[in-house]
Amino acid sequence: MPLTQVISAKTLRAARSALNWSLAVVSEKTGLTTQTISRIETGRHKPLPANIRKLEIAYTEGGVDFVSENGAFYDRVTDDPKDKKERQKRGSQTI
């Protein structure tokens, strides 16, 4: 199941926090407005799958590894270049 269908606003907020990125940084990396990102993270806006995908790609490239456990996704930040290369081989979706 693609992350775009199950990743939560809470997980996206946690991923941004783990990277210590501001809304402005995420906006630059995704092309989404800071207002859209904020609305997605607070659950006030049902995001388009394409927008979730943009966020997923940006956070994965930043070092966040989205991991599935019992059907729920959480994030894990890694600085290990080996992990990053492995994620890139698999694509940005890590389960």
Side-chain angles (χ1 to χ4, degrees):
M1 181 179 294
L3 286 178
T4 54
Q5 293 178 9
V6 295
I7 197 164
S8 71
K10 181 179 177 180
T11 299
L12 290 170
R13 229 179 10 259
R16 182 169 66 85
S17 177
L19 293 169
N20 199 29
W21 285 358
S22 67
L23 289 171
V25 169
V26 177
S27 177
E28 268 182 45
K29 293 182 178 295
T30 62
L32 301 174
T33 66
T34 57
Q35 185 177 25
T36 296
I37 298 161
S38 177
R39 287 180 176 169
I40 290 170
E41 288 183 352
T42 59
R44 291 180 299 176
H45 176 78
K46 183 175 180 181
L48 297 171
N51 290 346
I52 293 293
R53 182 74 177 139
K54 289 176 184 179
L55 291 166
E56 175 194 346
I57 290 168
Y59 294 145
T60 300
E61 288 176 353
V64 171
D65 199 7
F66 291 99
V67 182
S68 175
E69 187 172 284
N70 299 323
F73 284 88
Y74 66 93
D75 60 276
R76 173 175 68 91
V77 178
T78 179
D79 290 325
D80 186 341
K82 187 173 73 176
D83 285 347
K84 193 168 188 174
K85 280 187 176 184
E86 184 60 31
R87 280 196 312 277
Q88 288 170 343
K89 277 198 281 185
R90 292 189 307 253
S92 62
Q93 187 169 320
T94 302
I95 299 176

